[in-house]
Amino acid sequence: MRWTARFALLMIALGGTQAGAQDNPLKFAIRLSPEAAARPVSGRLLVMMTNAPAKTEDIRAGFGGIEGAAVYTAAMEVTNWIPGRQVTLNPDTLAYPAPFSQAPKGAWQAMALLDVDHSFARSEEGPGDIKSAVLALQDVDPSKAGSISLTLTVVNPAESLQPPAGMKVARLQSRILSAFMGRPVTMEAGIALPPSAARNPGRKYPVVLHVPGFGTPPAQAMGLSPWTLQMVYRRGANGSEPEMVHVFLDPNTPLGHAAFANSVNNGPWGDALVREYIPYLEKRFPIIASPRARFLTGHSSGGWSALWLQVAYPDAFNGVWATGPDPVDFRAFCGVNLASSPPENFYRKPDQTTRNLVRMSGRPVMSMQDFCRYEQVAGDYGGQMASFDAVFSPRGEDGRPMRLFDRQTGAVDPAVARAWVKYDISRLLTTNWPRLAPKLKGKLHVICGAEDNFHLNEAVALLKETMRALHSDAVVEIVPGRDHMNLYSGGLYDRIIREMAERNGVPRH
């Protein structure tokens, strides 16, 4: 049946390609197969097109894209799409990096995808999404290709949240968050217990709270993977790692990454974690119910979250190891100085040159403006910049997070920038240092690569200067030759766990 479906798709596509003789710009006629949906569905409909020379079974967009090839993405919203019906997507209306009709003539591959839960901007293709087969288009001129037909036939399987042996899942309907949202909100995490816990039912252990980065799918965020067992459980079993309980938190919300900060848009995630979820874990699992036995770590958005939790709740934790954190000093928010008056433009430097956001091996690969243009195509909410708005911004009159900057011009709204100030960790430390200094003694560790792919090292460098000026014992390191992706190469994870254990006096078993 799969081969029959693919053959039918090919015949339809050939007919669509022939329609290009009408000299009309490329459009996509997309049908929702009744076999893929039993009832009307809504979501964000995307088409991705690549000129990658090798045949691919799936097309991935984003700043990584496909190495050495162009990836075009177009999108539109669909509501109550009836199975069997066809909709037309004009890939010139909302597209990245350009309208499809401007793509060069040649061989292309195209795929349609319906993002049913609007999570594409956060983590791209996911469970429950419905997609077409990848269609090969030979010798196509997008400026006059006419209509190309695609059919959504494949439903991505549900994400497996079954924990492997040695792990458990802890879910709690949060009273605090549910009251804020006016609907049930569940907090969840994957729990890796020390190997000796089964043999010593009365023994309790220190706990490490891990916060994943932006866009990490729930199952991966919760550590339900062989990597977790290898890095945590099995290494503890052979004595190469101090025995501790590892908690892998899921920070995903419809608006992006919760960051475990109290937010007027996402809700009081920090309070819910500290006052509700951690006590719940300490009752259910063999965890020492004391701040001295609680440690935090995380990378990227997880690094910012972990550092924020330690600073915002200084008495609740005994140390943080934040790596490659999102901007910890808003004088360098991915290169933008939000503290200047007026705040700098997000897309242009003061000298009016283009502001880079993503670099690989020191080479610029995506500007801030291009990143935001892609995010607008990927989804109206839930993307990285939109996620920052959800955490840091006030709520607008339309009920949605106010945008820090205009997505067309890059101009920053000064009023929104002022509202962001209370989430500037460096400023928070400076302003409250007389009170925080004794509470944070020996607890702060921030590590970032000197070549961070998103320029996050610039904010870490400012934090380092701030900590030095405050005569803090905080350890703030900028590692030469490392970037956002390879920071953990060379044993950083082992070092972090060892330092946590030494601070708490945890012996190797």
Side-chain angles (χ1 to χ4, degrees), residues 62-320:
F63 68 84
I66 299 175
E67 187 175 357
V71 179
Y72 282 68
T73 307
M76 63 180 286
E77 287 292 317
V78 294
T79 304
N80 295 324
W81 189 0
I82 298 174
R85 297 282 180 88
Q86 179 177 285
V87 301
T88 299
L89 187 149
N90 183 344
D92 283 2
T93 303
L94 182 62
Y96 176 85
F100 279 31
S101 64
Q102 297 178 14
K105 180 180 178 180
W108 291 89
Q109 299 178 71
M111 184 188 86
L113 180 140
L114 181 65
D115 172 25
V116 297
D117 62 355
H118 289 92
S119 63
F120 188 89
R122 183 179 71 241
S123 52
E124 298 193 358
E125 182 181 323
D129 290 346
I130 310 172
K131 62 185 181 181
S132 73
V134 176
L135 184 66
L137 305 170
Q138 300 297 330
D139 195 28
V140 171
D141 183 349
S143 69
K144 52 184 179 181
S147 181
I148 299 293
S149 297
L150 297 169
T151 301
L152 301 180
T153 58
V154 179
V155 181
N156 284 343
E159 189 173 39
S160 174
L161 293 179
Q162 294 301 314
M167 292 195 69
K168 300 181 182 298
V169 172
R171 295 185 176 90
L172 174 70
Q173 183 172 309
S174 168
R175 175 184 53 80
I176 295 173
L177 291 174
S178 298
F180 176 88
M181 298 300 295
R183 58 174 174 79
V185 177
T186 299
M187 301 183 74
E188 55 187 8
I191 316 296
L193 300 177
S196 67
R199 303 189 301 270
N200 301 281
R203 181 180 172 185
K204 294 185 180 295
Y205 304 84
V207 63
V208 183
L209 298 166
H210 299 257
V211 189
F214 174 85
T216 307
Q220 185 178 341
M222 294 163 63
L224 307 183
S225 68
W227 179 90
T228 304
L229 293 181
Q230 182 64 35
M231 295 292 287
V232 176
Y233 190 77
R234 291 173 186 153
R235 296 198 324 181
N238 65 26
S240 64
E241 184 172 292
E243 290 202 300
M244 306 168 85
V245 174
H246 292 263
V247 174
F248 296 87
L249 298 164
D250 179 9
N252 288 295
T253 76
L255 296 180
H257 193 293
F260 292 99
N262 293 342
S263 159
V264 299
N265 298 297
N266 290 327
W269 276 80
D271 286 352
L273 177 70
V274 173
R275 299 174 183 174
E276 193 173 25
Y277 193 62
I278 290 176
Y280 162 75
L281 294 177
E282 291 173 344
K283 290 178 180 178
R284 182 176 171 187
F285 298 101
I287 297 171
I288 299 170
S290 169
R292 72 172 178 82
R294 297 184 200 130
F295 301 96
L296 296 156
T297 190
H299 185 63
S300 197
S301 292
W304 188 95
S305 305
L307 184 60
W308 172 261
L309 284 167
Q310 181 65 81
V311 173
Y313 303 89
D315 297 321
F317 304 98
N318 196 24
V320 59

Side-chain angles (χ1 to χ4, degrees), residues 338 340-343 403-405 411-421:
L338 296 179
S340 65
S341 184
R403 289 184 167 179
L404 173 68
F405 61 96
V412 172
D413 184 329
V416 177
R418 286 192 293 272
W420 279 38
V421 165

Side-chain angles (χ1 to χ4, degrees), residues 334-349:
C334 298
V336 183
N337 185 357
L338 296 179
S340 65
S341 184
E344 292 180 0
N345 187 283
F346 243 70
Y347 295 161
R348 299 283 175 182
K349 296 180 182 179

Side-chain angles (χ1 to χ4, degrees), residues 435-457:
R435 175 179 64 86
L436 291 175
K439 297 175 180 287
L440 294 177
K441 185 175 178 60
K443 293 183 178 182
L444 302 181
H445 309 80
V446 182
I447 308 160
C448 189
E451 307 298 327
D452 187 90
N453 303 87
F454 308 100
H455 299 270
L456 299 173
N457 55 294

